[in-house]
Amino acid sequence: MEKQGEQEYGESQPTSLVREEFAGAKIYENNSKSILNRATGFIAGYDFTLNPYRGCQYGCSYCYAAAFSPNPKMREDWGNWVIIKQNAAEILEKELARWYKKHPEQPPSIYMSSVTDPYQPIESKERLTQKLLLVMVKYQPTLVIQTRSPMITRDIEILQQFQRLRINMSIPTGSEPVRKDFELHSPSIPSRLLAIGKLKHHIACNENHQARFSITVTPLLPILPEDQAAFISKLEIADRVVIQEFHPSNERSLVASTRQEAVELKNKYAWWYKNEQENYRQFKKKLVAMLEPTGIQIMEGKAGFSYD
Ligand code: SF4
């Protein structure tokens, strides 16, 4: 029988001992050698990515980050484990100091986070993302935060102090039943919309503080036809709306980096996926018609994830 604290996924590091269980997930911790990683691919325009955690309790069915799990067993169990990078704040301080030694006049641009959500449930207890913000605010990088959690509003007072900040709130569908199917453990759509409204209200945008707010409808998941207009009108709260197809409609659609769960969902939503490209095109058309006259930026894919 497994002993308490010795539940291992086996095969490879770094899943030594479970520290605790939190909100249904096994929590591990380790020390990282580095915390700022060179940004590549979709977000190559940034100097670094910053991921306070490895793994993500939201466990979205379509998440490509599952493919970077430490071993196949953990990939299958995506959403049920998190590794806390416990020395992250200390390492970040050293790495930012080193950057400014080499580039005294050039603040780095940082994207937090690319393969985890910095405000997943364990953050409410661990406050690791908050500790990283407190380090970063001293160094004033250009910072983009990508999350789907209203927990980010907890840190408004720190966020107010950044000079170049963009907050991207992920809301890939306007239909709650779809959200519950694809991202069972994520916060509700209304709570995310409320959060971005609150952030925008409390974080000043002026000549000293350039704060920007995006809603990333990425990847665009099915949206029930009756929900589309109401959803689009609520997106007016943002400065920028980003859309992106998950994959083109082909055999690999929605399965490229994900698990069996996503394949089954694709079958459930065949009414959308059979005609995915056309549904995307129609949704974009409505978005442009309703939001462009209000001055909101509508962007697609990689370009939409830039700070500027
Ligand atoms: S919140 Fe982001 S990182 Fe976490 S499971 Fe969902 S898509 Fe993946």
Side-chain angles (χ1 to χ4, degrees), residues 38-288:
R38 281 275 161 211
T40 55
F42 215 63
I43 45 173
Y46 292 86
D47 291 308
F48 300 110
T49 57
L50 174 53
N51 290 285
Y53 301 101
R54 193 166 178 195
C56 184
Q57 285 169 279
Y58 290 140
C60 305
S61 58
Y62 53 84
C63 181
Y64 68 86
F68 305 115
S69 300
N71 59 55
K73 205 169 169 189
M74 291 177 88
R75 177 182 169 167
E76 278 311 305
D77 207 21
W78 181 251
N80 295 319
W81 56 270
V82 182
I83 302 169
I84 297 168
K85 300 179 182 178
Q86 58 185 353
N87 62 340
E90 193 185 312
I91 299 287
L92 180 64
E93 177 97 47
K94 286 183 187 158
E95 292 185 345
L96 285 173
R98 204 179 306 143
W99 168 275
Y100 277 98
K101 260 191 180 173
K102 280 191 191 160
H103 314 276
E105 304 297 329
Q106 190 191 329
S109 52
I110 297 177
Y111 184 92
M112 179 173 82
S113 297
S114 55
V115 288
T116 191
D117 193 308
Y119 288 100
Q120 60 184 292
I122 189 64
E123 171 63 19
S124 64
K125 179 181 182 194
E126 200 65 23
R127 293 180 176 259
L128 181 54
T129 296
Q130 188 180 64
K131 288 176 201 152
L132 296 177
L133 288 177
L134 288 167
V135 171
M136 283 192 278
V137 82
K138 294 187 281 179
Y139 291 91
Q140 290 295 334
T142 295
L143 177 64
V144 173
I145 301 177
Q146 183 82 45
T147 183
R148 67 194 65 222
S149 174
M151 198 195 307
I152 186 175
T153 59
R154 179 199 67 191
D155 291 335
I156 279 179
E157 285 178 17
I158 309 169
L159 296 170
Q160 284 168 333
Q161 299 168 49
F162 280 86
Q163 289 165 12
R164 281 169 59 83
L165 174 72
R166 182 180 284 281
I167 296 170
N168 291 346
M169 182 62 73
S170 301
I171 313 182
T173 176
S175 299
E176 271 291 282
V178 178
R179 195 272 304 165
K180 285 180 188 159
D181 274 342
F182 281 85
E183 339 175 320
L184 179 61
H185 303 296
S186 70
S188 71
I189 299 165
S191 71
R192 298 184 218 181
L193 287 163
L194 271 177
I196 199 82
K198 188 171 176 187
L199 291 162
K200 199 171 172 187
H201 182 73
H202 288 282
I203 301 177
C205 187
N206 54 42
E207 57 194 28
N208 297 320
H209 297 273
Q210 294 170 32
R212 292 155 188 195
F213 304 90
S214 305
I215 293 177
T216 53
V217 189
T218 56
L220 176 66
L221 297 178
I223 305 183
L224 301 173
E226 61 270 27
D227 291 337
Q228 293 193 7
F231 177 54
I232 293 173
S233 65
K234 288 177 188 141
L235 300 180
E236 276 188 35
I237 195 81
D239 308 327
R240 177 189 290 177
V241 173
V242 188
I243 54 169
Q244 179 194 329
E245 281 179 284
F246 196 92
H247 296 297
S249 285
N250 60 36
E251 285 191 354
R252 289 171 61 78
S253 178
L254 202 61
V255 298
S257 306
T258 53
R259 295 152 292 138
Q260 187 57 27
E261 198 183 335
V263 180
E264 284 158 17
L265 283 169
K266 194 186 161 207
N267 292 335
K268 178 172 177 181
Y269 288 92
W271 61 267
W272 176 276
Y273 285 106
K274 264 188 196 156
N275 214 1
E276 185 184 3
Q277 283 176 334
E278 180 57 19
N279 284 321
Y280 179 90
R281 209 178 61 78
Q282 288 298 334
F283 181 76
K284 181 182 160 192
K285 204 169 151 190
K286 285 183 201 158
L287 203 58
V288 169

